[in-house]
Amino acid sequence: MTFPILTILVFLPILAALVILCLPKTKLNLIRGVGIVVALITLVISLYIWVGVSQAGAETMQFVESYVWIAEYNVNYTLGVDGLSAPMLALSGLLTALVLFYSAFTIQARVKEYYILFLLLATGMFGVFTALDLVLFYVFWELGLVPMFLLIGVWGGQRREYAAIKFFLYTLSGSVFSLLGIIAVYFNTGTFNLLEAIAAQPFVNDPTWANIVFWAFFVAFAIKIPVFPFHTWLPDAHTQAPTSGSVILAGVLLKMGAYGMMRIAFPLFPERFYHFSVETPIITVMAVASIVYGALVCLAQWDLKRLVAYSSVAHMGYVTLGIAMSSAAYAHSLSDTLVFDAAASGLVGASMQEFAHGLITGAMFFLVGMIYDRAHTRDLKAFGGLATQLPKYYGVMMLVAFASLGLPGLVGFWSELFVFRGAIKFMPVAAFVAVLGMIFTAGYTLWKIIQSMFFGSLDHERWDHLEDLTWWEKLTVAPLAILIVVFGFYPAPLINTFNAAITTLLQGLPE
Amino acid sequence: MNTIFYLVSPLVLLVGALLLLTIDLVASAKQRSASYSIIAVIVLLVSLLAVVILPVDGQQRVLSVLLYDDLTRILWMLAHVTLIAVIIIGKDYVNESIQERGLYYSFYLLSGLAMELLMASSDILMLFLSMDFLSVLTYVLTGYQREDMRSVEAATKYLIYGAVLSALMAFGLSWLYGLTATTDYTRIAAIMNGLEPWPLESPISVTVLFPVLVFIASGLAFKVAAAPFHQWAPDAYDGAPISVTAFLAVLPKIAGLGAFLRISMVMLPLNTELGHSWHMQILLFAALFSMTFGNLAGLWQDSLKRLMAYSSIAQIGYILLGIAIGTAHGYRSTVFFMVAYILADLTVFGVILTLPRHDAKISDLRGFMQKQPFLALVFMLAILSLMGIPGTGGFLAKFTLITAGLESTRPWIVIVVVINTVISVGYYWRLLQAVFTAPDSAAVTPALGVPEIPLYSHSYLVPALSAIGIAILGLWPGPILQMIDNALHILR
């Protein structure tokens, strides 16, 4: 038996949550300490896993554990990671650690419950990125729902109840349909194991059922990503959530949708995905609409947090576009090297975008939270000239904003490059329209964020008391800023890991 | 072994009930106040022991009107355990607010007896008698606080409604008897399936028998509060003493579902023409209507008791759907779902009973997390189970149901289940939210909100054990699934 490192990674946070549950609620520092230390341990473990996976070549599933869970229904407890999931684990570990660190200084109310909920959430995230059994995947998927619901609903802004229940209802309605899909796949293939189900290609000869089940999965993941027109929960949830909640929501939870799309919906139904991306291009249209619409709304938005939330819609559109575009390769022969490369490049771009967006939006929401804590407003019209008042904040924000618009040398550039590289080959029209989105992105980043916040004249009466970043705020955003630059200049570790897994994934698909 | 031994358990309950009444007569007022609940629990434990130690030998007929097999056994055990739990969670309330407790607890024991007979009956006469026996007891319990007009009103509604439906059922059963000249389930099944000739004229068409099935189903649906015969439930839940509400929420359901299971499996199996309309038309309609109606109506409730009434109407819909599906997986899902439902409702009512205010609103739950963190956590677990969130028994219950549904001849029903799950979140979330949020100091006076004083240890017992049960069902369901399969195996 191998050392069950994935099980430890997944259940360590929940264990820590139980420990915190037993601590008295007045020992705030002890609670915070346990939370942060455990989050750091999971970060170290996830990095170790990433290294292990890339050393093993990242093509196949590593660290696999499998036990029978419910024999009556052939449900197994199967965990494993490959190049597609290992970086996401590291991202989850990093953001969880940062969020718990940041919250140690910003959250004073009901610290105990707050930390317990975040640790439960962490178990859900690690579980989703490691589960190889569809039922287990579903269990972890839903596990993250309730803590996030409570985090928004209790620690959130003024309209928190509305935002929390909207988030809950949207995500749940999507995911319960995916449960139907999961069980339908089971009846068709006889297994809940993801890899076996992919190998068996469910409903190949039954287009009606294939359509139903495909959409069941697609909608569940599309709501989570979120793809236009399923995005309406997102602005509310992000705006109302506490800063840390927004960071995790945008940084990791949205990626669960993208990951599910790439790990489950696309490989299970590559032919359907192709059909709805190219022949009846619903998915492509939705992806491009997300990009353009998200960016346009940002241009009209004066609430900084809402703006960042909508920018997520736009940025996650590239993920959907990348997958849709890869499926377009299905029309050509995958054995053609050029086609294969283009298809792989779409998926690599989508994965890169998942990771990059996690870093960028994570940092962005932290920065939004930091300015809000000082100024108690997010109204962009109220700001101006902050560059002199908050030079350090300004510097970090510039970096992150430029990464967000895809400046070469920063991490956001690579994902867009790869997505468009594939898209130009298979979907020139969609690529052209999506480029418009990039222009709008540059527009709102420069105009809304940079210019209206930092340039112009400073309202001295109002903002003279603002102080620049504190040491713990610097420590919170520094890792993200550094990684944005490091992976911007040297994306090879990311690209190689993703690429290896994606090559395997594409090779496993039927012609 | 003489099959009469299987009657030990019902007899113990009968003797126990009489014992309680006798004590009530002879004991002095001071002695009386002490320990009826303890005696009742001891009687139930003895009776449970009798069920547990008696081995089951295939399928045994008892007095030619009862059927004793593994299914009967686990249903009887379930009823005993649930009744004990209901007594424990209601103990403090009963001591405080109920007069004539000897009579009260003897009614509990008698209802246990009635339920045992109902769940084991294999004869339409026995079915009717035991069901009315149980109904009369529940009417009286509902109106037990004679000085409280709401309690009396609730009991009256319940009684009138019940009288009409039991008359309807009696009519249906007599019709059935008139056509088949027998009261025995197995023989009725044999005649209806053409294995034995019709005694009067042959053959009787399904069209003639269809109303009979509707009447029988109506009577049983009333018993378990399934739509469209659910209207009594919110009023009865609301008006009854809260300890009786907890009783109504679980026990009549076990009994009614036991009878439903038996009739559906023995008398009207899915693979016959008549059985097909029973399962796929009558029960399917009741199940889908029940879940949809219960969940929609629940969205507008503020009172905890009424909300739980609608929640249980919806849950009964899911449970009945398993029977409607009528396959081995369907029945398995029904029993599993029933256990999950009972555990969740016991937890919820165990927690509600610790609130000082018995007509509690949802907002009265505010601040629970800070004042009673343990109870708040188990309460949340129970609500999550009712919602069907993974990690709880409720999720696996829905999972078994959806699996059975997709396998059936009408796979579209799972869509209804799924949509209902989403709708139900629309009211369950308010409970979660209320428990978790800080108390609203302006709205709730401290005396009415969550108690800050440490509660008696027995107040924690049932919620804690039920919560453990919910977690076991959700995380490690293998053993219980096997038990259920064993119990259902004999009937296949």
Side-chain angles (χ1 to χ4, degrees), chain A residues 351-364:
Chain A
S351 311
M352 287 288 287
Q353 178 71 346
E354 277 184 59
F355 194 90
H357 184 253
L359 296 177
I360 296 168
T361 314
M364 202 67 123

Side-chain angles (χ1 to χ4, degrees), chain B residues 184-256:
Chain B
D184 185 83
Y185 286 4
T186 350
R187 288 210 45 219
I188 293 175
I191 292 170
M192 289 193 303
N193 299 332
L195 300 175
E196 284 181 40
W198 289 91
L200 297 176
E201 49 189 283
S202 60
I204 307 289
S205 75
V206 172
T207 338
V208 177
L209 282 163
F210 191 75
V212 177
L213 303 189
V214 172
F215 291 149
I216 298 175
S218 310
L220 286 167
F222 161 76
K223 197 73 253 165
V224 298
F229 300 106
H230 60 274
Q231 291 92 337
W232 61 272
D235 293 327
Y237 274 47
D238 201 19
I242 177 100
S243 57
V244 175
T245 309
F247 176 94
L248 289 178
V250 282
L251 286 156
K253 321 253 166 182
I254 305 178

Side-chain angles (χ1 to χ4, degrees), chain B residues 234-235 238 293-311 313 360-363 426-431:
Chain B
D235 293 327
D238 201 19
F293 179 83
N295 282 327
L296 286 176
L299 293 174
W300 284 275
Q301 301 306 318
D302 270 329
S303 146
L304 264 178
K305 281 156 114 186
R306 292 188 87 85
L307 181 75
M308 288 316 291
Y310 286 108
S311 150
I313 292 169
K361 299 215 175 318
I362 293 177
S363 53
Y427 56 90
Y428 287 131
W429 77 274
R430 289 159 60 204
L431 299 177

Side-chain angles (χ1 to χ4, degrees), chain A residues 21 25 69-70 72-73 110 113 138-139 142 150 153-154 161 165 168-169 172-173 176 180 183 187 192, chain B residues 332 369-370 377 380 387 390 395-396 399-400 402-403 406-407 418 422 425 429 433 436 438 475 478 482:
Chain A
L21 189 65
K25 61 181 165 194
W69 181 24
I70 309 170
E72 281 75 8
Y73 289 94
R110 309 179 70 185
E113 288 112 312
Y138 183 81
V139 168
E142 296 262 288
L150 289 171
V154 176
E161 296 206 353
I165 188 57
F168 200 171
L169 278 179
L172 187 83
S173 30
V176 285
L180 293 187
I183 297 175
F187 279 127
F192 279 120
Chain B
R332 178 206 266 173
M369 192 68 199
Q370 276 148 321
L377 284 177
M380 288 174 76
M387 285 163 103
F395 167 67
L396 276 169
F399 180 81
T400 56
I402 291 175
T403 317
L406 269 180
E407 258 182 338
V418 160
V422 176
V425 172
W429 77 274
Q433 177 94 5
F436 214 84
L475 299 175
Q482 269 166 18

